[in-house]
Amino acid sequence: MTGRAPVAVVMGTRPEAIKLAGLVTGLGDDALVVHTGQHYDAQLWENVQADLPGMHVDEHIHCGGRSRGEQIGMATSEMTRFLSSRDIRAVVVQGDTNSTLAGALAANALGLPLVHVEAGLRSGDRRMPEEINRILVDTLADLCCAPVERNANQLIQERVTPDRIVITGNTLWDAMAMIRPTPQGTAQALDSLNVPPGDYVLATIHRAGTVSDTERLVGLLDGLDALAEQAEVVFPVHPRTSAAIAEAGLSGRWQRIHMVQPLPPSQFMALEAGATLLVSDSGGVQEEACFLRRPLLVLRDSTERPELLDGWCRLLGDQDPAVAIDRAWADARQWGADLAIRQLPYPGESASSVIAAEINRRWPA
């Protein structure tokens, strides 16, 4: 750390770390990284740091394993205490997690400038805790970093003044430049998991709204299990999903699905890059699939990234999961070929550099 006033970069989950890695690198010694502990086990956190060059943590707050309200309250309190003890020139949060909201509330409580990376995303579904988090954080932010023009227009509709908005592109571009999935990496990842080479599906299910609904979770896994009769289905199991399956007494029900432990980002992206089809309820996977030009069935009713509904991904909606998954698999090869020649909806440049420059311009050290 230099003698200059640092920029606090708050993160709590694996996707936040991935999408903020380029900014942490860009800020250099000025980055003061605070980890809330929302993700805290080896698979979801420690392996992430090892995969991201330059990623470090300066302060740990242990708020993981609690309810949403408890996480937000504890993380806000502990971050307020920590940030008040330092000469901070700005606070950066990313996305829509509990940690994002807690960092925003702490910055607001202390009167510190707040920067929201990935601002202006909206699904229109207020049942999702993430949607509420996004709206609240954008309301508080002094600088809203919108990935694309659509997001900036959304903020303007919500009466965020233009001087608080900058269109930056997507910081995932920087993370993928660091990790760089390759065909060799895909082959090594498959071999390490004892998955034969050839066509395969990579699937993830982790969102609280999906996992907490046992009937919905069972329907999704039954659909994947049916597809596994004709294709290899690789399924890294999130700890929340694993716990839900065990609590429902359903462990061992889906024998045809190749279930594995959560994977480090580099290994997971290598598998994404080689997959014939992706099936996921993740927001981050939507963007990764786009940059990697892989077909994706989104296991949700809505998305906060509507720019990707123009052929880049499909929503499950109220369709029967088994039917939708089977149809996506049938279309996947031609779908992937079509994506290979399309123009990406995100700028192919470093969003992290744009954000770092904007922070330094507005709040010099």
Side-chain angles (χ1 to χ4, degrees):
M1 194 66 66
T2 67
R4 296 150 46 103
V7 175
V9 182
V10 177
M11 60 185 72
T13 67
R14 169 190 178 119
E16 289 166 281
I18 292 170
K19 291 188 176 182
L20 289 172
L23 182 58
V24 169
T25 300
L27 290 170
D29 289 341
D30 286 350
L32 179 70
V33 179
V34 182
H35 177 231
T36 69
Q38 186 172 335
H39 282 176
Y40 54 88
D41 63 9
Q43 288 87 7
L44 290 182
W45 182 253
E46 293 176 14
N47 290 343
V48 174
Q49 292 188 82
D51 261 4
L52 299 171
M55 179 56 70
H56 64 276
V57 174
D58 300 291
E59 177 73 5
H60 286 280
I61 296 169
H62 304 285
C63 76
R66 293 173 171 82
S67 69
R68 179 175 182 242
E70 289 173 322
Q71 279 189 349
I72 294 170
M74 180 178 179
T76 301
S77 176
E78 290 299 306
M79 267 191 285
T80 301
R81 175 193 57 77
F82 174 71
L83 295 175
S84 66
S85 71
R86 307 296 294 264
D87 181 20
I88 305 292
R89 59 185 165 112
V91 176
V92 176
V93 297
Q94 189 278 334
D96 54 24
T97 70
N98 295 340
S99 300
T100 308
L101 179 56
L105 291 171
N108 181 261
L110 296 170
L112 295 172
L114 174 65
V115 180
H116 185 202
V117 176
E118 205 173 83
L121 276 66
R122 298 290 183 272
S123 69
D125 186 352
R126 290 176 62 89
R127 297 170 300 174
M128 298 173 61
E130 295 89 351
E131 182 79 349
I132 303 304
N133 291 349
R134 294 180 203 115
I135 292 169
L136 292 173
V137 175
D138 282 336
T139 300
L140 296 174
D142 299 282
L143 176 60
C144 293
C145 300
V148 296
E149 186 176 0
R150 179 196 292 265
N151 306 135
N153 291 338
Q154 176 65 40
L155 292 167
I156 290 171
Q157 288 177 19
E158 296 175 10
R159 299 191 177 183
V160 176
T161 56
D163 61 298
R164 292 166 52 203
I165 303 169
V166 61
I167 299 173
T168 62
N170 195 315
T171 59
L172 182 61
W173 177 269
D174 304 289
M176 297 192 75
M178 291 179 178
I179 295 174
R180 296 183 188 278
T182 64
Q184 181 182 14
T186 299
Q188 291 173 344
L190 290 171
D191 183 64
S192 71
L193 299 174
N194 296 314
V195 176
D199 291 337
Y200 63 92
V201 176
L202 179 64
T204 70
I205 302 172
H206 79 281
R207 296 181 85 89
T210 308
V211 172
S212 62
D213 184 339
T214 303
E215 182 179 358
R216 181 174 176 82
L217 178 61
V218 168
L220 295 173
L221 289 171
D222 281 350
L224 289 171
D225 194 58
L227 180 61
E229 288 191 55
Q230 55 180 310
E232 187 78 19
V233 177
V234 182
F235 182 57
V237 188
H238 190 284
R240 178 190 290 138
T241 310
S242 179
I245 291 171
E247 288 169 10
L250 297 170
S251 299
R253 170 168 170 157
W254 298 283
Q255 293 292 322
R256 289 178 295 214
I257 299 175
H258 193 123
M259 295 190 177
V260 300
Q261 293 292 317
L263 303 171
S266 59
Q267 194 173 11
F268 184 77
M269 285 190 186
L271 289 176
E272 284 182 300
T276 305
L277 175 68
L278 303 175
V279 178
S280 178
D281 63 351
S282 165
V285 168
Q286 292 175 44
E287 295 174 345
E288 291 163 11
C290 174
F291 279 122
L292 293 168
R293 301 176 182 275
R294 306 316 304 148
L296 168 67
L297 176 63
V298 181
L299 301 177
R300 288 164 51 183
D301 301 326
S302 61
T303 177
E304 59 279 6
R305 297 167 175 86
E307 66 273 11
L308 300 181
L309 293 177
D310 181 25
W312 293 95
C313 67
R314 298 176 184 174
L315 289 178
L316 173 62
D318 60 1
Q319 301 175 80
D320 178 87
V323 173
I325 291 169
D326 186 69
R327 184 180 298 122
W329 174 252
D331 295 342
R333 292 169 187 81
Q334 184 58 53
W335 187 0
D338 293 342
L339 294 181
I341 58 174
R342 291 194 62 184
Q343 182 177 346
L344 292 171
Y346 301 113
E349 56 190 32
S350 174
S352 299
S353 298
V354 174
I355 296 168
E358 193 67 21
I359 291 171
N360 288 327
R361 183 183 73 81
R362 293 182 182 229
W363 303 288

